[in-house]
Each structure stands twice: as structure tokens, then as C-alpha cells.
Amino acid sequence: MTNRRILVADDEPLARERLRRLVEALPGYEVCGEASDGDSALAQVAKLEPDIMLLDIRMPGLDGMAAAGRLEKLANPPALIFCTAYDHYAIEAFGVQAIAYLLKPVRKEALADALNRAGRVNRVQAQTLGALNQGSDEQLAVRTHRGTELIDLVNIVYCEADQKYVTLHHSEGETVCDYTLKELESTYPGHLLRIHRQTLVGVRFIQALTRTDQGQAVVELKDGRGALPVSRRHASSVRQWLHDHQPG
């Protein structure tokens, strides 16, 4: 199988060297080129057509965020992973469809996870997602031990509160966040529906509202993902949602 080609863009030579070593220690990837600023990064993308780009944000001249904005307009943009020492740019990363947002010093495990996610989105899919998500808040920034992750809201199956934390169960696995269910529910009403005091469900995964043999109302999830309990307080709103979204 052909290695996926990666372009490293960072104004610090030592940072580029470290990222190169990390990449080349992972099977299936190779560094095809380097750039020291945004302008040279764009030139290298045009010349080398990399599959993935590791991009710093604070660089001389055209910075990483501006370069990412231009890359987004390309017919075949590389998958984008930000590698930066600053965590306060994560929200801006929404608009340029970044796969991941990693904080320096980048850890090998975090990079491997981000590259794996980038590999699951081919260029045609990335273009389609970009067109669908343009100008909308379709991603959630979550701070984790691996840095700031961007999670597609359409991939969140359900959110579950447990004491102080909320766990996001999504198509890529599970992520613990410090958002409250109330914050998620009020911010993303088009994506998440309250079904229990401790649970929000991703609306695109709702299959049906049924009852168990014991009389417990449950939401059946699509694609054989199981069922989630629905409280009596929220059963009517789930039933209304299903009625409003029946085909035809």
C-alpha cells in the first residue's frame, strides 16, 4: 500500500525536525516536504499535492490560519492537522475543516490518532463535508489530554452525564468533555435531543421510540447501536420529534 504523503509547515526548524521524526516512526506515512511559512506552504501544496498537512499557526508572513483558509478553496485540499503551542485558536479551526488540533509538544500517540482519523476521510469526502458544513457550527472543540479535538456533531450518537463530566459517544469512540448537557442542548438543538436527565441523543441516530417488556420507554438507535432509556418527562418531546420528522 502506498504511504500517505505529509507536508510539514512550521517556522521553527527544530519543530519541523521533530514532526518529521514522529511521522517517519509511524508505518504508512512519509514526509514529502517542508515549509517555513504560509506562502511557501501553499506553494508546496501546489507542487507536491500532499495527502495530509501538519500546519503551525503562528508563522511569519501568511500565518497558518490564513493559509488554511486558502487551502479550503482548493479542489483537492490536503487533510489538515494543526500543530501549535496555543490552544485559543481552536474555535477558528471550525471554519477550515481541520481534522485535529494538537498542542505542542506533539505526542506520538496524539499524532498517530489524528493521522488515523485523517486517513478515514478521503479527499472527495472532505470536499463534500466542507460544502455541507460551510458557514455553520458543525464541530465541537473538546480539550482532552491529547490537545483540543474537533468532533463532528453529526457523528455524536449520544451524550451521557456522569457526576462532574459528560462523555460524548461518537462514531470515532468516546471523548470526555467539560461541557454540561444543558450547554450542549441549548447550543446545538438541531443536533442533540434531550431524552433523560442524564442523556442527550444525536437526532440523526434516532430510529424509533418503543417500550421494553418491563414498560420502560427507550429510543432505538440506528445501525444496531442499541437503545437508550427515555424518562417519562421527556417521552412526549421524543414522540413529537419523531412525528415532525417522519418521511414524506
Side-chain angles (χ1 to χ4, degrees):
M1 189 174 73
T2 304
N3 285 347
R4 293 182 65 77
R5 303 166 71 250
I6 297 174
L7 175 66
V8 177
D10 196 301
D11 64 322
E12 299 176 12
L14 290 178
R16 295 198 302 272
E17 181 182 337
R18 185 173 190 277
L19 286 172
R20 177 184 281 273
R21 288 201 310 269
L22 289 175
V23 168
E24 293 180 347
L26 297 170
Y29 303 96
E30 64 181 40
V31 175
C32 66
E34 297 182 7
S36 59
D37 57 56
D39 290 302
S40 61
L42 294 178
Q44 289 287 70
V45 168
K47 176 182 176 182
L48 301 173
E49 296 186 350
D51 300 299
I52 301 168
M53 187 174 185
L54 304 182
L55 181 61
D56 189 18
I57 291 181
R58 287 197 176 179
M59 296 188 292
L62 191 71
D63 69 13
M65 199 62 70
R70 295 191 187 181
L71 289 172
E72 190 183 19
K73 299 174 183 177
L74 297 177
N76 294 304
L80 186 60
I81 297 172
F82 282 116
C83 300
T84 177
Y86 307 93
D87 64 2
H88 56 274
Y89 291 101
I91 301 302
E92 294 180 53
F94 286 168
V96 291
Q97 306 301 320
I99 298 295
Y101 188 101
L102 306 179
L103 289 179
K104 295 178 179 178
V106 175
R107 295 168 52 249
K108 180 180 178 181
E109 296 80 3
L111 179 61
D113 177 71
L115 291 174
N116 186 43
R117 278 187 280 153
R120 288 197 289 265
V121 181
N122 65 35
R123 290 180 170 186
V124 174
Q125 290 171 322
Q127 280 182 266
T128 303
L129 284 172
L132 289 173
N133 296 341
Q134 188 71 28
S136 61
D137 290 332
E138 291 288 339
Q139 292 179 309
L140 184 66
V142 181
R143 291 188 183 185
T144 73
H145 65 282
R146 293 174 293 196
T148 301
E149 294 185 32
L150 299 179
I151 299 174
D152 288 325
L153 284 162
V154 294
N155 290 337
I156 296 178
V157 182
Y158 65 100
C159 311
E160 183 178 37
D162 180 19
Q163 297 180 352
K164 293 192 299 181
Y165 300 101
V166 168
T167 301
L168 308 176
H169 299 262
H170 50 88
S171 55
E172 304 294 335
E174 298 179 2
T175 303
V176 176
C177 71
D178 55 7
Y179 294 104
T180 66
L181 288 184
K182 185 175 181 180
E183 288 172 336
L184 293 170
E185 180 184 21
S186 61
T187 307
Y188 306 106
H191 288 280
L192 302 169
L193 179 68
R194 174 82 67 166
I195 62 171
H196 192 279
R197 181 170 55 88
Q198 295 178 299
T199 315
L200 302 175
V201 65
V203 295
R204 71 183 292 263
F205 291 96
I206 296 176
Q207 179 72 48
L209 177 66
T210 62
R211 289 191 177 276
T212 66
D213 293 339
Q214 292 74 36
Q216 169 69 57
V218 295
V219 162
E220 292 184 12
L221 302 175
K222 293 179 179 178
D223 305 321
R225 295 176 183 268
L228 298 170
V230 178
S231 66
R232 282 189 290 179
R233 177 182 176 184
H234 295 98
S236 60
S237 60
V238 176
R239 194 175 296 111
Q240 184 64 49
W241 186 93
L242 284 163
H243 178 270
D244 293 342
H245 293 82
Q246 284 180 345

